[in-house]
Amino acid sequence: MSFFEHRDGILHAEGVALPAIADAVGTPVHIYSAGALRHAANAFTSALRDLPSARFAFAVKANPNSAVLRLLARCGYGADIVSGGELRRALDAGIAASDIVFSGVGKTDRELIDGLEAGIGQFNLELEEEGRVLAQLARVRQMHAPAVLRVNPDVDGGTHAKITTGKRASKFGVDIADAPDIYARLVQLDGLDLQGIALHIGSQISDLTPLEAAYRRIGALVFELRARGHTITRVDLGGGLGVAYRPEDKMPSLSDYAAMVSRVTRDWNVSLTFEPGRVITGLAGVLLTRVIWVKPGATHPFVIVDAAMNDLARPALYDAYHHFSAVRPDGRTMVANIAGPVCETGDMFGVDRPIDHVGRGDLAVFHATGAYGAAMASSYNSRPVSPQVMVDGDTFELVGDRLAPCDVTTRSEREPRTAYRAHNTPVRQVA
Ligand code: PLP
């Protein structure tokens, strides 16, 4: 089912023609389809509905927009967060603290305290020392922090190196070989309520084989921990399922994923947590942009658009592909390099690409930008951070403002007020 389709020759998001959004809020703009979000959110939970007491925590990093979080909360999702900022966003969106999972390899003491005081449902511990610090912070507050230990299963997710997290050399989780001893020490700590284990081997995973291998290793660990006398009630299977960015991409179906999970975890006798991100919001967004110039190039012309790596960093970061199409295609095609205006050679969206023919002033979209799109925005080159719009049926709403650092200097830039001396003397206020 597609929520972004051409009707009468004009690309629509649900019932809204994209030029209407460009007229109302300008370009570039991130556009989400509420229908597509609901469809993906419900497809994921329905595929896994036969699993006993499964819990779904949307990975906020994929799309932290408050309107998106509120919509997903209404579909039954909690939140998987990795920072104090994401904690605030999840709570502000009305997600119950008990439905929040705190992942993240470098949580500060302040973030741990904020999570504790909010009463979040699960801390995913990344190292033994974090467990000790969390236990201590909980003890002084007469609390017990619900936690699981994140284990690195040493399985290559078969995805881009920069989004692979489950290999032994990566910074995430504790080595699976060390996990039983670390678990045995942490479980004794007063203040910590250690309930099980977590894993996440990477993102944009297109083959279920590595996921299954990782889950099987974790299953073996569950039984080993039980054999050592521990009570294991929770396993967090992370996220990672990929989406089809290219028209020809083949991804595992949700029913195949659900069948695999059900087969592998059948006798674990735990409640499972899932942390999907990309598979929920990835295909539910497009980035609408306008062509500034078509500039002659050595081999092919450069289509220079007003969206940049500020708005969509994935191509510059991971050489990621995002399909590009004209909002009003005229049937002609061209081969071009698609570039943003930022002063970096890497601010490219495609090289030698066959695309719809476009010219100066035309509107076009990058597809499948709903995950890790606006979420990674920056204001590099003092460019505005793009607005975000949610379409629902034949209406649309601004759900994120254009932020214009090019027009705004901070107070400290305009008028430096706080100076610090180098040698432990107190802060001196400058008049
Ligand atoms: N959980 C954790 C711990 C992650 O680091 C990530 C992202 O890398 C996710 C869940 C979400 O992954 P994805 O968007 O691939 O589903």
Side-chain angles (χ1 to χ4, degrees), residues 331-343:
R332 290 179 296 158
T333 56
M334 63 198 283
V335 176
N337 304 316
I338 314 162
V342 160
C343 294

Side-chain angles (χ1 to χ4, degrees), residues 314-397:
R314 298 187 66 257
L317 276 177
Y318 320 127
D319 290 322
Y321 178 96
H322 284 270
H323 199 60
F324 178 84
S325 60
V327 167
R328 287 191 174 92
D330 63 9
R332 290 179 296 158
T333 56
M334 63 198 283
V335 176
N337 304 316
I338 314 162
V342 160
C343 294
E344 293 275 340
T345 306
D347 186 24
M348 296 291 293
F349 295 106
V351 176
D352 296 355
R353 273 253 207 118
I355 56 171
D356 289 337
H357 184 272
V358 284
R360 173 169 160 78
D362 286 349
L363 289 171
V365 296
F366 293 102
H367 291 264
T369 56
Y372 309 102
M376 289 186 175
S378 78
S379 59
Y380 181 42
N381 278 196
S382 291
R383 290 170 52 81
V385 171
S386 294
Q388 298 169 71
V389 159
M390 178 83 77
V391 173
D392 199 353
D394 55 8
T395 61
F396 64 95
E397 229 183 314

Side-chain angles (χ1 to χ4, degrees), residues 57-62 80-82 103-104 124 126 150 163 165 172 199-200 202-205 236 238-242 274-280 371-372:
F58 171 66
V60 173
K61 63 171 80 66
D80 166 49
I81 59 163
V82 291
S103 299
N124 289 8
E126 285 275 349
R150 178 166 176 183
I163 46 175
T165 58
F172 299 100
L199 84 159
H200 171 77
S203 195
Q204 185 55 10
I205 293 173
D236 181 338
L241 281 186
F274 296 87
E275 301 172 350
R278 190 186 307 271
V279 76
I280 306 299
Y372 309 102

Side-chain angles (χ1 to χ4, degrees), residues 22-107:
D23 290 348
V25 303
T27 56
V29 51
H30 285 278
I31 300 171
Y32 309 122
S33 152
L37 288 167
R38 284 187 209 105
H39 177 76
N42 294 333
F44 194 85
T45 52
S46 336
L48 293 159
R49 83 180 138 231
D50 291 338
L51 294 169
S53 59
R55 303 183 318 154
F56 302 95
F58 171 66
V60 173
K61 63 171 80 66
N63 191 324
N65 183 279
S66 303
V68 170
L69 298 184
R70 280 197 300 274
L71 181 151
L72 294 178
R74 285 195 294 276
C75 294
Y77 282 73
D80 166 49
I81 59 163
V82 291
S83 72
E86 289 190 354
L87 173 63
R88 273 202 306 282
R89 283 185 164 273
L91 292 171
D92 288 353
I95 295 174
S98 55
D99 293 335
I100 296 178
V101 171
F102 206 154
S103 299
V105 71
K107 308 177 200 74

